[in-house]
Amino acid sequence: MARSNGRTGRTDGSHGAGRTGANGRQRARRTALIAAAIAVTAPLTLGAACAAGAEGGPGTAAVPTAVRAAAGPGVPRPAVDRPIVFARYSAAASIEDLYAIAPTGGAPVKLTHTPTVSDVMPSWSPDGKRVAFLRYGAGGAIDGIWTMKSAGGDLKPVPGTEGASDPAWSPDGKRIAYSRPVGTQREIYVADVDGTPATRLTHTAADEFHPTWSPDGGYLAYSRADGTGNSRLMRIQVSTLVQTPITLAGSHDWTPDWSRGNRIVFSRVDSTGFAHLYVVRPDGGGTHRITSARANDKNPSWSPDGRRLVFTRGGTDDADPEHLFLVRADGTALTQLTKADTHDLQADWRP
């Protein structure tokens, strides 16, 4: 079984990379996937977010302009005006909630307010009007995939997704792909946004995680983890179910994200022992590294124009904060986006 990232079972291989000691062991014990489902709902309102304050301190946080505009008419906007949604928790507040932040920085806006359940793994709808996410409860019991308005509220469960993870909204906005337990393995499914019909795409003895759609909606790329702890990227044609390897067997490749420009970014634990960002073509060619710091870089997401990436950078110990960073696709112009003493994870840049 592959290693999981965070406390929800999301697998990216970087958890534990370059990390040792009691903190890592303690956190790892909390990361097992739990198949039991719970049914806990809590109100999601943006009003309480006004007290979220500036990064790292109290105050009044204004709603980012791009979040307010997300539900409006579909007017093309530059990447700088498209918000980034992410999950956050801290030592003082161990329940994860979803936040939104502008790519230019500023105070993140808290979108969910759930004191007894955690909300993680956000995925934007292609029109920017809604966000799909995973909800899990006490002890890690996975409730399933839900959707909400981009500014919070109008909570809707996706039926039939109990125990599922890694939601990914299709480019046409009609379907959601996700990873779901089948026996002792996890497989890739696709369902309409209302949960029906749920179609199983993969049938293997490996674990399949983190699907991401091709720009035309005809393919999915995903991580396949075998029993030895290795993970490679795979590609599946949705109509024929033909599967093709993207990266080599024996790799440690996780959390792919497919750009509109037909490139796939992913996190790889390489020979340095750290997780770095890499880019590859869908046919497996042109692989090259983007980041190279002595840190763990994971969960990359493309900007809508394909020029930049947002990702999480963590330190060498599980007790270290994890922050969001921005970087150009060529590896230049690295910028730290969040700076609070928190764990900021699983960012998704609005299309």
Side-chain angles (χ1 to χ4, degrees):
M1 182 68 71
R3 293 172 293 184
S4 50
N5 165 38
R7 295 166 297 150
T8 62
R10 183 170 210 160
T11 306
D12 69 0
S14 62
H15 175 74
R19 299 180 178 188
T20 58
N23 286 330
R25 292 192 295 270
Q26 180 180 10
R27 188 173 177 189
R29 284 194 292 269
R30 298 185 297 180
T31 60
L33 282 161
I34 307 297
I38 60 170
V40 180
T41 60
L44 300 180
T45 62
L46 190 61
C50 292
E55 185 77 303
T60 299
V63 182
T65 301
V67 176
R68 293 199 303 268
V75 177
R77 295 177 178 272
V80 71
D81 201 22
R82 301 294 180 102
I84 295 166
V85 66
F86 64 98
R88 167 177 281 186
Y89 76 95
S90 67
S94 61
I95 299 296
E96 288 129 321
D97 278 302
L98 300 182
Y99 290 74
I101 189 170
T104 52
V109 174
K110 192 174 184 180
L111 302 180
T112 64
H113 309 265
T114 52
T116 59
V117 294
S118 286
D119 298 326
V120 295
M121 303 184 186
S123 173
W124 284 101
S125 65
D127 62 6
K129 293 181 178 181
R130 298 190 70 83
V131 175
F133 61 95
L134 172 68
R135 169 162 285 185
Y136 76 100
I142 297 177
D143 194 15
I145 295 169
W146 298 67
T147 71
M148 68 176 181
K149 289 183 177 179
S150 62
D154 192 26
L155 179 69
K156 294 181 180 180
V158 178
T161 61
E162 294 82 1
S165 64
D166 299 304
W169 220 304
S170 66
D172 63 8
K174 297 178 179 179
R175 296 171 293 172
I176 294 177
Y178 53 89
S179 174
R180 178 180 174 184
V182 179
T184 59
Q185 312 305 136
R186 297 189 71 85
E187 305 290 352
I188 302 299
Y189 280 73
V190 171
D192 290 348
V193 176
D194 65 2
T196 58
T199 302
R200 180 176 172 182
L201 301 187
T202 59
H203 299 74
T204 72
D207 287 311
E208 323 284 12
F209 293 97
H210 201 90
T212 179
W213 293 88
S214 64
D216 63 4
Y219 292 84
L220 288 164
Y222 56 93
S223 300
R224 170 172 291 173
D226 61 28
T228 67
N230 297 323
S231 176
R232 69 193 305 184
L233 301 190
M234 301 290 297
R235 184 180 76 244
I236 186 169
Q237 188 172 16
V238 177
S239 61
T240 65
L241 305 187
V242 172
Q243 301 176 51
T244 307
I246 299 175
T247 59
L248 298 175
S251 301
H252 296 85
D253 300 339
W254 311 89
T255 60
D257 191 50
W258 205 323
S259 76
R260 292 182 179 181
N262 214 29
R263 293 180 294 170
I264 297 173
V265 65
F266 61 99
S267 178
R268 167 177 285 179
V269 180
D270 55 29
S271 59
T272 67
F274 292 91
H276 296 129
L277 302 189
Y278 284 74
V279 168
V280 65
R281 294 196 306 264
D283 64 4
T287 303
H288 64 276
R289 190 169 67 179
I290 298 175
T291 63
S292 58
R294 292 184 59 81
N296 291 310
D297 299 336
K298 55 190 178 182
N299 297 119
S301 175
W302 289 100
S303 64
D305 59 12
R307 296 179 179 179
R308 290 190 295 170
L309 295 154
V310 61
F311 65 96
T312 292
R313 170 165 288 180
T316 58
D317 189 273
D318 286 303
D320 293 342
E322 296 171 291
H323 296 128
L324 299 186
F325 282 74
L326 302 178
V327 69
R328 289 178 181 164
D330 63 3
T332 62
L334 181 70
T335 304
Q336 186 172 340
L337 185 60
T338 62
K339 301 177 182 180
D341 189 15
T342 54
H343 296 268
D344 298 336
L345 306 165
Q346 304 156 354
D348 193 38
W349 205 320
R350 184 195 157 193

